[in-house]
Amino acid sequence: MIPEKTRDLLKKFGQEHLLRFCDELDEKAVAELIGQVDGIDFDKVRGLYLEAAGETKASSGEYVYEPLPFKDKSSLSKSEIEEYEKAGADVIQSGGFAAVTMAGGQGTRLGHNGPKGTYDIGLKSHASLFEIQCARLRAASQKFGKVIPWYIMTSRENDKDTREFFKTHGYFGYPEKDITFFVQNMLPMVAFDGRIVLDRKDHVKEGADGHGGVFAALKSSGCYDDMVKRGVKWVFVGGIDNVLLKMCDPLFIGFGEKSGAKIAAKSLVKRDAKEGVGVFCRRNGKPYVIEYTEISGEMAEARNEDGSFLYGDAHVLMNLFSIDAITAIIGGNDGLPYHVARKKTQFVNEAGETVVPEKPNAFKFEAFIFDAFEFFDELAILRVDRESEFAPVKNKEGEDSPASAKRMYEANFGE
Ligand code: UTP
């Protein structure tokens, strides 16, 4: 039985096709489908579609780009290092530090069957990505005599498997009460004709709303309130797929604390002009990350007098947010903007047949964490060494693969 309000809603937004096959489904499947439909913010989705399809335009305007200053870790003096490490240690010891791991991605390129954090890159210990990160937090908690609260963002697709994985592995020896899982939001994919995609007769095709969804999810899950209650001052937010990620780096925390800025980020020197990474800059005066898909050839190639890139600092998801910054971001009415990707996605056509398209057929909407940088005037950047801090697991083989990550991990920590 389809509730009247659901029918009306679908009619209003021209999405009646979503329930077209209900007659063929059993009661449970219908109830689940209706639950999915009721969870969709149709107004928001329509706005995103119209913008993606070019029917309305977000303010475009001219942008002025400038380099964003950074501090190179290798150029810090002994006394600066001591000063930062001491300030960072004070924050951690007083319970003012928390870590967030964003593990809601689909890991499409890796093609692993299960949450990416459960992946075993082939170390002798067979530690999964989750275990590798947990070990670093455990070591820091022991060193500073304070358990670091760990918040792990999952998606609706991988939440259950992630929780089970932790449970099966005894939370890797970390106190269970200090690990909190929270689920990020999803947004439906929308076909180029404006109709939300039904990928099965009983299922709407939805995708996680990007790593920028972390702020809204921290708020809606109550994790933000928990941080405030615990007296957290600084929150490190990183991805799950970098096996060299320093989850709790006192020097970096102290650097953030002493910078006077509300946010800080680590950067790496861009390998070459074409590397597929976003780089830090200022856009119209505000800190910004310009994606490799957006940067002009001229800007990507621009050099300083010494031959280094003018825009040479890559953003690789190693960010530190003060609680004040998070408060400001989640309090903003507009939230983060969404970026649009054109994807190929399976759908059920009017005749009820499953179609696997050969060309992109739908829009996917994702928010990016670095769009939050523009809310602030300053962003403190610490340039760090790639070899000791960045070994991502993105692709099945070749560059940024389990094999390259394993090699780099072993070069740093031994077998
Ligand atoms: P990527 O953008 O590299 O995506 O995410 P991915 O899911 O790991 O891999 P592909 O692109 O599908 O192959 C960088 C980090 O952000 C997290 C990921 O889990 C990863 O830690 N992320 C990404 C989320 O938590 N949610 C998202 O919606 C997207």
Side-chain angles (χ1 to χ4, degrees):
M1 183 61 194
I2 300 166
E4 203 62 26
K5 79 170 190 357
T6 306
R7 262 189 214 288
D8 290 349
L9 193 69
L10 292 178
K11 188 152 187 240
K12 179 173 167 203
F13 289 94
Q15 303 287 353
E16 293 106 312
H17 65 286
L18 294 179
L19 300 182
R20 175 181 289 148
F21 302 107
C22 278
D23 291 348
E24 301 172 30
L25 306 175
D26 64 31
E27 221 171 285
K28 185 165 168 275
V30 172
E32 280 175 9
L33 181 59
I34 290 174
Q36 232 194 334
V37 167
D38 285 344
I40 295 173
D41 181 342
F42 286 96
D43 229 356
K44 178 172 170 174
V45 174
R46 178 164 64 182
L48 290 171
Y49 166 73
L50 291 176
E51 210 175 301
E55 292 182 29
T56 61
K57 192 77 202 111
S59 60
S60 51
E62 283 294 294
Y63 294 123
V64 176
Y65 295 99
E66 296 161 278
L68 190 59
F70 63 90
K71 223 168 195 178
D72 195 328
K73 185 176 165 188
S74 66
S75 71
L76 296 180
S77 67
K78 195 161 170 272
S79 66
E80 279 176 310
I81 293 177
E82 279 170 11
E83 184 197 358
Y84 294 153
E85 285 184 340
K86 163 88 180 54
D90 286 349
V91 172
I92 304 163
Q93 276 158 355
S94 63
F97 176 72
V100 170
T101 294
M102 300 181 296
Q106 290 178 308
T108 332
R109 287 167 285 174
L110 185 63
H112 166 55
N113 185 18
K116 200 172 187 179
T118 65
Y119 194 82
D120 167 7
I121 61 167
L123 298 176
K124 247 193 180 152
S125 64
H126 289 291
S128 59
L129 298 178
F130 278 132
E131 186 171 357
I132 291 171
Q133 294 205 336
C134 187
R136 293 200 113 174
L137 280 181
R138 216 174 39 225
S141 297
Q142 269 158 14
K143 179 170 174 196
F144 295 104
K146 192 87 199 171
V147 178
I148 295 155
W150 189 16
Y151 302 88
I152 299 173
M153 183 166 83
T154 62
S155 69
R156 252 188 267 155
E157 281 165 335
N158 70 18
D159 184 67
K160 190 165 162 276
D161 290 348
T162 304
R163 288 174 196 254
E164 269 173 23
F165 188 75
F166 271 80
K167 200 165 175 201
T168 312
H169 291 85
Y171 297 85
F172 307 108
Y174 213 72
E176 191 186 334
K177 69 172 181 38
D178 294 303
I179 300 182
T180 310
F181 301 96
F182 66 107
V183 185
Q184 73 176 111
N185 293 323
M186 312 268 288
L187 279 171
M189 288 181 68
V190 184
F192 293 160
D193 66 2
R195 292 201 300 177
I196 290 174
V197 176
L198 208 53
D199 60 344
R200 295 195 315 257
K201 287 181 175 176
D202 61 353
H203 192 259
V204 178
K205 175 70 185 173
E206 292 183 280
D209 65 350
H211 44 59
V214 66
F215 301 107
L218 281 173
K219 182 178 175 182
S220 61
S221 62
C223 289
Y224 164 77
D225 289 339
D226 187 58
M227 287 173 179
V228 173
K229 205 168 80 203
R230 288 177 185 248
V232 169
K233 280 177 71 186
W234 285 97
V235 184
F236 178 71
V237 185
I240 182 57
D241 51 8
N242 173 8
V243 300
L244 294 181
L245 190 67
K246 292 191 177 175
M247 301 289 287
C248 174
D249 180 357
L251 183 137
F252 184 42
I253 299 164
F255 171 77
E257 173 86 358
K258 293 281 171 187
S259 70
K262 290 196 169 72
I263 42 177
K266 285 183 178 174
S267 72
L268 307 173
V269 179
K270 192 168 74 169
R271 265 199 204 117
D272 54 68
K274 295 208 163 58
E275 188 181 356
V277 287
V279 289
F280 289 98
C281 62
R282 273 191 194 283
R283 188 172 81 167
N284 292 355
K286 300 285 191 176
Y288 186 70
V289 169
I290 182 158
E291 273 286 58
Y292 67 100
T293 45
E294 294 171 3
I295 196 167
S296 68
E298 194 188 339
M299 198 172 155
E301 297 279 358
R303 307 253 175 187
N304 293 304
E305 269 175 16
D306 63 3
S308 59
F309 288 114
L310 187 58
Y311 297 96
D313 282 84
H315 169 266
V316 284
L317 286 183
M318 302 182 196
N319 299 317
L320 195 58
F321 294 85
S322 64
I323 198 79
D324 291 348
I326 296 181
T327 307
I329 296 164
I330 64 180
N333 290 333
D334 293 342
L336 299 186
Y338 287 95
H339 297 249
V340 184
R342 290 163 181 262
K343 301 263 184 190
K344 273 191 282 192
T345 191
Q346 160 186 316
F347 65 99
V348 177
N349 67 14
E350 288 181 21
E353 298 150 351
T354 300
V355 182
V356 180
E358 281 174 10
K359 289 190 306 198
N361 61 320
F363 296 119
K364 182 170 195 293
F365 306 102
E366 282 190 310
F368 295 158
I369 191 166
F370 48 74
D371 280 323
F373 297 162
E374 274 193 298
F375 291 11
F376 303 91
D377 291 328
E378 295 304 330
L379 163 64
I381 298 180
L382 185 66
R383 181 189 272 187
V384 297
D385 168 39
R386 186 185 279 259
E387 300 305 310
S388 57
E389 301 214 18
F390 189 58
V393 181
K394 298 283 181 196
N395 307 312
K396 237 181 164 33
E397 284 162 0
E399 220 171 57
D400 300 342
S401 65
S404 64
K406 175 174 183 273
R407 257 195 319 275
M408 289 179 75
Y409 184 92
E410 288 174 348
N412 277 273
F413 301 112
E415 279 190 15

